[in-house]
Amino acid sequence: MPPKPGIHPQKDAFIHAMPAYLQSIKAAGMKWVSGFPENPKRGLPYISGLLILNDTETGFPTCVMDCTWITAKRTGAATAVATGHLAREDSKVVGILGCGVQGRSNLEALLVVRRSLEEVRAYDVSKQALDRYVEEMTAMHGLKVVAAASPREAVEGCDIVVSAGPILKHPSPVIEASWFKDGVFACPLDFDSYWKPEAVHSVHKFITDDREQLAYYKTQGYFTDIPEVYADLAEIVSGKKAGRESSGERIMSMNLGLAIEDMATAMLVYEKAKKAKVGTKLPL
Ligand SMILES: NC(=O)c1ccc[n+]([C@@H]2O[C@H](COP(=O)([O-])OP(=O)(O)OC[C@H]3O[C@@H](n4cnc5c(N)ncnc54)[C@H](O)[C@@H]3O)[C@@H](O)[C@H]2O)c1
C-alpha cells in the first residue's frame, strides 16, 4: 500500500488515489475518492468516489462500486480498533466534533468496543447539522446526546474525542491542551486541522495508522508541527508496542485512512453482491 497521492482542483479539496494489494485475501484495487469542502453548500456530500477491484491473476477489473459507504464504515472501524487498544476501558463520555457522515459512523463503531459509553457531546458549526445529529443519534443508540455550544464543550471532560470537520492544509486549530483531561484518547480524522500543535505535543503517546503515509503527507506540506510517532496502529494491534499502559495517559491516534481497509471491506461487499446476484455486468 503506497501512500496516497492526491490532486487538488480547488482550495482544500482533494482527489486521492488509494491503491492496495492484500495477498492473503487476493484483494487488489484502488479507491479514487474526493473530498470537496464546498459541496455541502451545493447540497452535495463532502466525500464521493469509486472503488475498482482487480483480479490478482489477470489484472482485469472485476468490479466498480461506490466508495462512500465503505469510507464511512471502515474509518469508523479503524477508530474502534484504535479505541479498543488506546482508550480507557471505563470510558463514559465521548466528544464528536463534526456531525456528518463520519460523526455518525464513528459513534456507531465506538459503541461496539466501549459499551460503557453513556454520553455524547456533539459539536458542529452548522446548527441544523447538529440538531439533526442529536435527534438521530439519540433515537438510534438510546444514549444521552448533548449539543455542545462550542468545540471546548465537546472536548472538556471527555474520555474519547473524535474530530471530523474538514481537512485544511493551513488550519486554524482551536483545541487546546488544557481542554482535555488525563486519560483521554483522541482520534482526529481531519488531520491536525482541529488540534493546536501544543495540544498534539501534550499527549504521552502519538500514534498513527501508517508511519510511511504520515511521512509522505509531511513532504506535501501537511503536519508541520507534530511530535515523534510512538507507534503505528499495526504495531499496537500486533503487540509489538504497548497500547495504553496507565489510566492517566493522554493518547492520540492520527488516523489518515488506509487503502488496505478499503480493499478488505470492498472484497466483502463484492462477495456478498455476487451471492445475492445483484449488480450489472459491464461490457469491457
Ligand atoms: N482519516 C480518515 O480515514 C478519513 C476518512 C474519511 C473522511 N475523513 C475526513 O473526515 C472529515 C469528515 O468527513 P465526512 O464525510 O463526515 O464529512 P461531512 O460533510 O459529512 O461532515 C462534516 C461535518 O463537519 C461540519 N463542520 C465543518 N466545519 C466544522 C468545524 N470547524 N467544526 C465542527 N464541525 C464542522 C459540517 O457542518 C458537517 O456537518 C473530513 O475531513 C474527511 O476528509 C477522514
Side-chain angles (χ1 to χ4, degrees):
M1 183 192 67
K4 43 185 166 186
I7 52 176
H8 308 275
Q10 302 282 339
K11 186 172 176 279
D12 288 321
F14 65 81
I15 314 179
H16 283 154
M18 302 180 66
Y21 169 43
L22 283 91
Q23 202 172 3
S24 59
I25 55 165
K26 292 193 172 157
M30 187 179 81
K31 184 166 88 166
W32 183 229
V33 61
S34 66
F36 276 56
E38 295 299 311
N39 273 4
K41 288 185 196 150
R42 304 182 176 105
L44 295 171
Y46 174 63
I47 297 277
S48 68
L50 294 174
L51 189 149
I52 302 171
L53 286 174
N54 295 75
D55 185 86
T56 54
E57 294 291 323
T58 63
F60 266 59
T62 51
C63 182
V64 180
M65 65 177 88
D66 164 73
C67 79
T68 53
W69 184 89
I70 288 176
T71 302
K73 297 290 177 179
R74 65 72 149 150
T75 310
T79 300
V81 169
T83 298
H85 291 270
L86 302 170
R88 286 167 51 149
E89 289 285 347
D90 60 350
S91 297
K92 288 198 169 43
V93 185
V94 55
I96 302 275
L97 298 104
C99 297
V101 172
Q102 292 296 334
R104 286 171 168 74
S105 64
N106 276 258
L107 178 60
E108 180 192 12
L110 278 170
L111 289 168
V112 174
V113 293
R114 284 294 177 273
R115 298 303 311 168
S116 55
L117 288 174
E118 292 171 354
E119 183 180 333
V120 183
R121 294 185 192 157
Y123 174 74
D124 199 291
V125 281
S126 153
K127 185 171 178 326
Q128 206 186 358
L130 179 56
D131 290 346
R132 210 166 50 228
Y133 183 85
V134 170
E135 196 185 313
E136 280 177 29
M137 295 301 102
T138 306
M140 189 176 285
H141 302 298
L143 290 171
K144 182 176 168 199
V145 186
V146 182
S150 65
R152 184 173 186 156
E153 273 186 27
V155 174
E156 250 174 9
C158 290
D159 304 300
I160 300 172
V161 180
V162 174
S163 63
I167 294 172
L168 305 170
K169 191 159 192 176
H170 304 291
S172 318
V174 297
I175 296 178
E176 298 190 17
S178 62
W179 294 2
F180 51 89
K181 64 176 188 179
D182 282 351
V184 75
F185 169 61
C187 199
L189 306 176
D190 39 16
F191 293 15
D192 54 355
S193 307
Y194 232 123
W195 301 77
K196 284 193 174 176
E198 45 113 7
V200 182
H201 280 281
S202 77
V203 301
H204 299 106
K205 285 179 178 150
F206 181 74
I207 289 155
T208 185
D209 51 359
D210 184 56
R211 286 173 191 268
E212 201 184 328
Q213 192 153 268
L214 185 68
Y216 168 79
Y217 270 102
K218 282 188 90 159
T219 69
Q220 300 300 303
Y222 295 89
F223 300 111
T224 50
D225 193 0
I226 52 169
E228 206 178 305
V229 174
Y230 161 75
D232 59 29
L233 264 187
E235 289 173 305
I236 303 280
V237 172
S238 64
K240 284 189 187 140
K241 288 271 181 79
R244 174 169 292 276
E245 290 173 286
S246 76
S247 59
E249 274 182 315
R250 290 189 299 273
I251 303 179
M252 175 177 277
S253 188
M254 188 64 78
N255 289 355
L256 309 188
L258 305 182
I260 49 173
E261 298 160 353
D262 296 305
M263 269 359 103
T265 316
M267 283 303 275
L268 297 172
V269 173
Y270 179 49
E271 293 305 332
K272 203 165 179 179
K274 277 199 298 188
K275 240 187 218 151
K277 296 194 185 344
V278 295
T280 308
K281 246 191 168 41
L282 297 175
L284 276 181

